[in-house]
Amino acid sequence: MAEFDQPPLSQPEPQPTGFARGLSGAAVLAALALAAAAAPLMADGSALHRLDADPVAAALLDGRGSLSFALLAAVLGGALGIGWALLAGLAGTLVGKGAERRIVIAAQRMAGWPLALLVPLAGGLLGQVWLLALVTALTAAPAVAALAHAELSVLMRAEFLTAARAAALPEREVLRRHLIPNLMRPLLAAGTLALPRVLAAESFASLLGLGLPPTLGSWGASVGLAARLGDPVAFAPPALLLALALWAACAIADGVAAGVRKP
Amino acid sequence: MGIAAIQATLPVEKSGVGKSRPAGKTRTLILLPGGGGGAYGRMSHHMTHFPSDPFAKMPRPVIRRLIDAVPTAVLPMAAGIGLSALVAPQPDAAMSLLRGLAVTLLLTLPSLAVGTALGTLAGSWAAVAPRSAGGLAGRLLAGAGALLPGFLLAALAALAVRVGASAAPLGWTALSVPAACQAARLALPAMERALGSGPEGGAVRMARGLGLDERTVLRHHALPQAVAPVMGGLRAAVLAAMVGSVALESLLDLPGAGALMIDAARVGSAAGAVPALVALGGLTALLNALGLGVRDWIDPANHSSTPYQGA
Amino acid sequence: MNHIAAKPAPVETEALTLMLGDRVLLDRASLRVERGQVLAVTGGAGSGKTALLGALAGRPPAGVDVAGGVRIDGHLLIAQGGRLAPRRPLALQVAEVVGHHLGLDLRGALRRMADGLDRMGVPPAARRFDLPPEQLPDSLRWACLFAMAAAVGPAVLLVDAPAAGLDPTVRLRLLHRLADWARADGVALILAGRPEDGVAGPADHVLALRRGRLLPPIPLRAGPLEPLEPPGTARLHARGVGMSYPLAPGPRGEARSLAVLHGIDLDLRTGETLVLLGETGSAKATLARSLLCLPPPTAGTVVWMGRDLMAAATPPAAGEEPNHGGLRRARRDLQPLFPDPAASFDPAMTVGTQLALVLENLRPDIAADRRDHRIDEALEEAGLRPEAALRWPAALTAAEAAHAGLARAILSEPRVLVADEPAAGLSAEERERFLDTLMAVRDRRRLSLILATERYGEGLRDAHRGIVMLAGRVVESADAGTLRTAPLHPYSRAMLAASLGGRPALEGDAPSAFGQPAGCPLRRRCPLAREFCAQAVPELEEVASGHHVACHYWDTPAEE
Ligand code: SF4
């Protein structure tokens, strides 16, 4: 079967800028994390009465809670989602295609539910931080699982696996030499999808006053408080920082995904 | 009417009537299973009004999708309302939940529709004329996508209301901007590919080579390729709008279902919060079904739902 | 083409020069195409065909500078790929184009279109234009495009890569129909395409675009590079090889399956080259993979040097030790070439690492410090430089990937190569070069070769024997000379005609795997078909020594 010539004169397609965006996202997020970590120094190291401190320093302080919680929940959620996809793949080889399909369809269905609403609910009803982290992670897991499984099934059909079998490579070796190295990046990319999601979910819950406890501090909580009080000066810094962090998290997820798609 | 007529012939043709027609000197006949030139006669009548044609066909796929969605959309809503009647502490909880659902729907649906439509247009236009005002707006929307989550805009709206603006238009805007961003973010690269020199640009190159004028090329050959991914990403847009509307209701003290849920959660009452959550899940499914219906209506080739896109 | 005519020709260029950056795509070409004349322009990928057609049509691709004079009458350009708006019903799109050019309303446009379809030989039953192009078979889409052009009736029709990707028999039928129309209506027709795509067949004149010049084409090699040596004894035996895929269970829960390969018998002798000829759906690729047991076929046996391959390849039952030795031995002897060589390399390892892995696994007898040397040798023999081992698969061009695939296949010193369309992605000179290398390797190592391809002439020129396959069955098998000169089965004859650029005597398209007609699978397209063909699948019968045909009426002339 002859395939069409690629249009011979095509300029190289505009290079996917995703990778550059991913890098800048990572840089922004790292800068935010550093600034948040250094914030206590800015506040003179004196006792931190947060509402008295100037709004920028307060917002940076809030970043510590938001970012560390998001990181924790993202790792949890990414791991859950990847585990879910691997479980589906395992069920596919051990039990049958039907079981695999059911597990994946469950993930796809759940990814369509407004799971983020569970987070404020959990914040109000459960109240412990680690439970909150678990629920937040669960809201991101189905989407991660669906994407990770899609990547997994593309890889399982790859022609180079047939080539490896033609070289009489035992299945164990195929797994070790070919599957695992090629799975790392796509699975990691699927996992990073959890970061913007959990950050958004936590901020949403905190915004409504049902997220992280006030002792930890969170951008969402400060934004919500300022909005209720009608205080634009207190509103702007945490809102801007939150928007920036969300953009950076999304950019990282996009960038990693673009890196995987690259030939 | 044009597409409607053609669509109407489809089931008959599929059942094989079209095939059993004797082959021969049917020179005027290209697939007219429904008898004579009727269908095409009507079509040619409307030839000059092409753009308005599809409206004739709007309700059918939408209604079909809605009927399909009864178990996932209406049942949870009914269950939520029933549950709140049974377990909620207040006597009129069921009624207020019903009212709340209506408020939420009223908040989300128009803003989703308007935001998605405007965002798609702006995003596509950004690929056609990047330097024009509309193009700049499209690029801005596409670039700002992740910067502007619905709940943050809701908080901004709440702030503005506290400062003295009026609530309703602000609320709708706050919810439609993220939808527009999402649509523009998906439409812009798709449109660029449709106009570019890669394989996806084949349809546009062909149409130009066949001598069609640029308006037709853009409208019929390029734009649909930009709309398709937006339709695929509707589910994510619905989720974002749901979250945004819950934040908006709660911050602006609107009597929506989301506010009910959050208020109940604040006082730690599972009996008040869980029914509202279930009902909101049903509402999401309803909006998704509407989205799928609209997609089928815009794009008749799409009869199955694509799993997992744009999440 | 250098006539002096009173009337200006519909297409005339004078010193037409095309530049892409500082690269000359076309250097001062003067071209003249008369009414009713069919010109084919061939060239490999990137040779500038698309730019030439674009320049003639007055819309050169972005980045191409045009100098010199072009005079062209009212024209249509059918762009590469034959894509229409994917989601709009075809009838609307056709009406739009025809209506735009002729000022007709929908009904009139569709009527003219029906005329055009008659001329392209599309039976009314197949005209499903309420569907969007996405849901139509490719051949019908191309037929519609040609019919659309015929309905508009331009003075000049430019077609870029017409019907590329279709089966040769279908493609040539359509191209001949198009050329007939152009000659009858006095349309100047320019077909551009890759040399192996058969655009030259129906044309009056052929020009090859090479290094910026339009020159007469170089004829392709017609015979083997070196005279073929007679084959030895049979080593690979396949008996009753069949393949079926499970389908979703039926309405009453009964298991269903789709059989794509039906009981093939085949012997391969040492040093023999056997070509499997067939088009889409013939299951030649499935057969090739079944012979390698990748995956093992669902019926029949494959025996290599007295060892049952299928028993070795099936995963052992729980608790048993897998029979690695036997399988490894067979895999060392039987090596595949893949249709998409680039995808057959793991993107996460360099080429050299992968070759080393193959060598380590298949030839444990070679000492580790000798491996690099062996790999370099294999790469050089396959026409690459040893440095290629250091490169990543993503950095290889399609041609390099094909050669690297060949290097990997010969690394273990196999005795049989099973190649499934190994040059599918290559064009023109690259393609010839790869096939020459493959044949040189075969001759040097006295390999047996199984080559699955849809290109009849190209496959047979280097082969001892050929097998023509249709819908998972063998319809004719004979030595290559017989198949090249006097095949008997109507399908073989059509493939031969198509490969020579002639007009295949087959109508319509191949049926899909799910809609096979009862009886002979060729029945709906065959010029010899009679009623009895619907009742029984023809069996292979020996019509001469070593020549088998499966057709009820191979020796009867067509009914009038
Ligand atoms: S059996 Fe009949 S239909 Fe089949 S090839 Fe022979 S003549 Fe044609």
Side-chain angles (χ1 to χ4, degrees):
Chain A
M1 287 285 294
E3 56 193 40
F4 305 134
D5 327 12
Q6 279 298 305
L9 296 173
S10 57
Q11 275 78 43
E13 285 280 315
Q15 271 302 311
T17 49
F19 191 65
R21 270 189 61 196
L23 270 186
S24 51
V28 167
L29 209 59
L32 276 176
L34 267 181
L41 305 177
M42 272 170 68
D44 300 338
S46 58
L48 303 168
H49 300 297
R50 297 186 35 246
L51 287 177
D52 308 344
D54 77 302
V56 177
L60 282 177
L61 273 178
D62 290 337
R64 295 199 300 179
S66 275
L67 285 178
S68 45
F69 181 84
L71 205 62
L72 170 70
V75 169
L76 257 176
L80 270 175
I82 292 172
W84 193 330
L86 291 179
L87 182 75
L90 206 64
T93 44
L94 295 185
V95 185
K97 288 287 160 201
E100 178 174 6
R101 206 169 334 117
R102 273 194 293 281
I103 295 178
V104 175
I105 285 181
Q108 287 169 345
R109 289 252 167 82
M110 283 181 68
W113 291 348
L115 288 175
L117 298 186
L118 281 176
V119 179
L121 216 60
L125 301 183
L126 303 175
Q128 270 143 328
V129 175
W130 64 271
L131 276 178
L132 191 69
L134 199 66
V135 172
T136 315
L138 269 179
T139 62
V144 173
L147 183 61
H149 182 264
E151 301 278 5
L152 187 67
S153 51
V154 166
L155 187 63
M156 295 302 279
R157 284 195 300 268
E159 181 95 304
F160 63 79
L161 297 182
T162 316
R165 291 189 182 115
L169 216 60
E171 287 303 308
R172 172 169 42 82
E173 285 292 290
V174 172
L175 190 73
R176 190 170 73 83
R177 301 285 199 129
H178 293 291
L179 270 178
I180 291 179
N182 279 293
L183 260 180
M184 281 314 198
R185 282 170 61 148
L187 287 190
L188 220 69
T192 46
L193 197 67
L195 184 61
R197 286 167 181 259
V198 294
L199 183 57
E202 179 271 321
S203 311
F204 163 65
S206 300
L207 185 81
L208 302 174
L210 294 173
L212 291 180
T215 45
L216 275 178
S218 149
W219 284 323
S222 305
V223 169
L225 195 64
R228 280 173 196 282
L229 296 177
D231 179 359
V233 179
F235 181 90
L240 283 179
L241 287 184
L242 175 55
L244 202 62
L246 275 173
W247 175 84
C250 285
I252 291 175
D254 285 358
V256 180
V260 170
R261 301 263 181 296
K262 256 205 297 214
Chain B
M1 190 43 103
I3 296 181
I6 288 181
Q7 282 295 308
T9 62
L10 183 59
V12 192
E13 205 281 333
K14 266 191 179 156
S15 65
V17 181
K19 283 185 182 161
S20 66
R21 249 195 133 73
K25 307 280 169 270
T26 48
R27 310 197 98 202
T28 58
L29 188 83
I30 303 182
L31 179 79
L32 296 176
Y40 282 91
R42 256 183 296 149
M43 211 158 115
S44 62
H45 198 237
H46 282 258
M47 187 61 187
T48 45
H49 307 294
F50 246 60
S52 63
D53 281 351
F55 288 100
K57 172 172 176 290
M58 170 175 158
R60 275 176 94 190
V62 179
I63 289 171
R64 200 182 54 232
R65 283 292 182 181
L66 287 183
I67 292 172
D68 286 352
V70 165
T72 51
V74 178
L75 282 188
M77 283 197 263
I81 291 169
L83 206 63
S84 71
L86 285 180
V87 299
Q90 306 90 347
D92 61 340
M95 261 331 278
S96 61
L97 182 55
L98 191 61
R99 215 174 315 121
L101 280 177
V103 169
T104 309
L105 185 66
L106 215 63
L107 266 177
T108 45
L109 188 58
S111 44
L112 260 179
V114 172
T116 304
L118 287 183
T120 311
L121 286 180
S124 323
W125 192 243
V128 177
R131 309 234 166 268
S132 67
L136 277 179
R139 281 197 294 172
L140 199 70
L141 283 178
L147 273 174
L148 303 170
F151 60 88
L152 206 54
L153 287 175
L156 193 62
L159 180 74
V161 169
R162 288 287 179 318
V163 173
S166 81
L170 259 181
W172 272 313
T173 318
L175 289 185
S176 59
V177 168
C181 287
Q182 154 97 349
R185 195 171 63 82
L186 293 173
L188 173 58
M191 190 75 168
E192 270 171 357
R193 279 197 300 274
L195 295 173
S197 57
E200 290 102 331
V204 169
R205 280 197 297 274
M206 174 71 78
R208 287 186 179 147
L210 292 175
L212 294 177
D213 57 90
E214 200 57 24
R215 263 182 73 96
T216 321
V217 172
L218 284 184
R219 197 176 126 49
H220 288 311
H221 299 258
L223 190 59
Q225 296 188 52
V227 173
V230 175
M231 292 293 139
L234 267 185
R235 203 168 75 160
V238 167
L239 288 185
M242 253 9 241
V243 170
S245 87
V246 169
L248 193 74
E249 288 162 11
S250 175
L251 288 174
L252 289 183
D253 298 320
L254 301 173
L260 292 179
M261 182 185 89
I262 295 301
D263 289 345
R266 258 202 204 110
V267 295
S269 141
V274 172
L277 178 71
V278 174
L280 279 174
L283 191 63
T284 313
L286 181 76
L287 286 174
N288 274 331
L290 274 173
L292 287 178
V294 170
R295 186 183 73 173
D296 289 358
W297 160 53
I298 290 179
D299 183 356
N302 225 332
H303 287 301
S304 63
S305 60
T306 18
Y308 191 76
Q309 265 185 352
Chain C
M1 263 165 302
N2 296 315
H3 312 282
I4 300 172
K7 264 201 292 184
V11 183
E12 266 177 297
T13 72
E14 208 185 296
L16 178 65
T17 303
L18 301 177
M19 305 275 293
L20 176 66
D22 51 5
R23 207 181 118 213
V24 181
L25 291 176
L26 186 65
D27 186 15
R28 288 163 294 160
S30 293
L31 195 69
R32 188 183 162 94
V33 187
E34 299 291 341
R35 291 183 178 72
Q37 208 175 37
V38 182
L39 170 71
V41 178
T42 64
S47 59
K49 309 177 298 279
T50 304
L52 171 61
L53 290 198
L56 288 181
R59 46 172 77 246
V64 172
D65 297 318
V66 182
V70 176
R71 211 199 63 76
I72 187 164
D73 290 346
H75 59 270
L76 279 189
L77 167 65
I78 295 184
Q80 198 173 47
R83 276 164 231 247
L84 289 158
R87 307 285 177 88
R88 292 189 82 209
L90 194 61
L92 291 189
Q93 303 198 40
V94 167
E96 212 165 71
V97 174
V98 179
H100 177 81
H101 285 281
L102 303 181
L104 293 177
D105 65 355
L106 187 69
R107 185 194 286 260
L110 290 177
R111 195 169 302 171
R112 278 198 70 101
M113 179 72 180
D115 287 345
L117 285 165
D118 285 346
R119 304 183 77 154
M120 292 305 138
V122 179
R127 299 179 185 178
R128 314 187 52 187
F129 304 127
D130 49 344
L131 295 181
E134 224 177 33
Q135 298 179 7
L136 292 173
D138 281 355
S139 56
L140 189 54
R141 200 158 42 86
W142 278 106
C144 285
L145 280 168
F146 294 167
M148 184 195 287
V152 172
V156 181
L157 179 62
L158 312 166
V159 195
D160 193 0
L166 298 187
D167 286 335
T169 55
V170 178
R171 179 167 61 218
L172 263 292
R173 172 174 58 85
L174 280 177
L175 290 180
H176 273 283
R177 293 258 185 188
L178 187 67
D180 290 348
W181 159 77
R183 290 194 191 102
D185 284 18
V187 175
L189 174 63
I190 301 185
L191 305 169
R194 307 201 298 187
E196 66 276 8
D197 276 351
V199 287
D204 306 321
H205 298 276
V206 185
L207 292 175
L209 187 52
R210 270 200 314 276
R211 284 185 229 101
R213 299 193 168 270
L214 286 169
L215 306 167
I218 310 169
L220 292 182
R221 175 163 70 83
L225 284 173
E226 292 170 24
L228 295 174
E229 290 185 30
T233 51
R235 287 286 179 71
L236 179 70
H237 306 273
R239 287 289 168 272
V241 171
M243 190 71 163
S244 48
Y245 296 108
L247 297 177
R252 258 168 280 115
E254 71 273 20
R256 291 191 302 181
S257 64
L258 178 71
V260 295
L261 197 62
H262 308 266
I264 307 277
D265 297 339
L266 181 135
D267 292 306
L268 186 70
R269 292 180 279 178
T270 50
E272 183 184 37
T273 297
L274 172 66
V275 52
L276 308 177
L277 298 159
E279 301 182 330
T280 316
S282 63
K284 58 183 188 311
T286 312
L287 175 59
R289 296 216 167 189
S290 298
L291 293 177
L292 292 163
C293 291
L294 284 172
T298 49
T301 52
V302 181
V303 176
W304 166 248
M305 305 233 295
R307 186 181 281 127
D308 185 354
L309 261 187
M310 286 171 62
T314 32
E320 255 172 72
E321 258 307 291
N323 174 13
H324 273 315
L327 186 63
R328 178 172 294 159
R329 176 73 227 194
R331 292 258 184 260
R332 177 202 290 185
D333 289 343
L334 302 167
Q335 277 288 306
L337 289 182
F338 293 93
D340 183 357
S344 74
F345 282 98
D346 184 340
M349 279 189 224
T350 58
V351 173
T353 324
Q354 301 188 50
L355 296 192
L357 191 58
V358 170
L359 202 55
E360 178 190 330
N361 205 48
L362 288 180
R363 295 299 299 268
D365 54 317
I366 295 177
D369 55 340
R370 297 281 303 148
R371 278 187 207 137
D372 281 350
H373 183 65
R374 290 296 277 270
I375 290 172
D376 290 354
E377 273 178 2
L379 283 170
E380 270 181 271
E381 188 173 350
L384 289 174
R385 290 202 277 155
E387 291 88 81
L390 301 177
R391 295 170 65 187
W392 295 89
L396 299 177
T397 64
E400 285 168 336
H403 287 271
L406 178 60
R408 174 171 60 188
I410 58 178
L411 203 53
S412 63
E413 302 195 334
R415 305 189 190 202
V416 180
L417 287 186
V418 182
D420 173 16
E421 292 276 15
L426 308 182
S427 164
E429 289 97 18
E430 287 181 345
R431 185 182 180 88
E432 288 301 309
R433 198 178 139 240
F434 175 76
L435 289 175
D436 289 352
T437 315
L438 177 60
M439 296 312 155
V441 167
R442 173 200 66 180
D443 293 341
R444 190 171 319 126
R445 301 183 168 236
R446 289 216 16 99
L447 294 175
S448 308
L449 175 66
I450 293 183
L451 181 66
T453 177
E454 63 168 14
R455 299 181 197 279
Y456 194 88
E458 185 189 279
L460 283 171
R461 73 181 178 199
D462 290 310
H464 294 93
R465 210 150 53 86
I467 287 183
V468 182
M469 296 186 65
L470 174 67
R473 291 193 165 82
V474 175
V475 293
E476 182 160 10
S477 89
D479 61 285
T482 312
L483 283 181
R484 255 198 333 223
T485 50
L488 294 175
H489 194 277
Y491 185 62
S492 320
R493 283 193 222 157
M495 284 188 79
L496 175 62
S499 84
L500 296 177
R503 189 183 299 257
L506 287 183
E507 281 308 317
D509 302 327
S512 87
F514 294 93
Q516 292 289 348
C520 177
L522 197 65
R523 169 162 78 79
R524 301 214 182 102
R525 309 172 66 199
C526 177
L528 304 183
R530 302 183 186 192
E531 256 162 48
F532 181 68
C533 297
Q535 286 164 24
V537 180
E539 296 286 326
L540 264 187
E541 52 178 307
E542 184 152 21
V543 299
S545 153
H547 189 176
H548 296 74
V549 177
C551 170
H552 297 307
Y553 301 110
W554 61 270
D555 49 355
T556 356
E559 273 180 333
E560 279 312 308

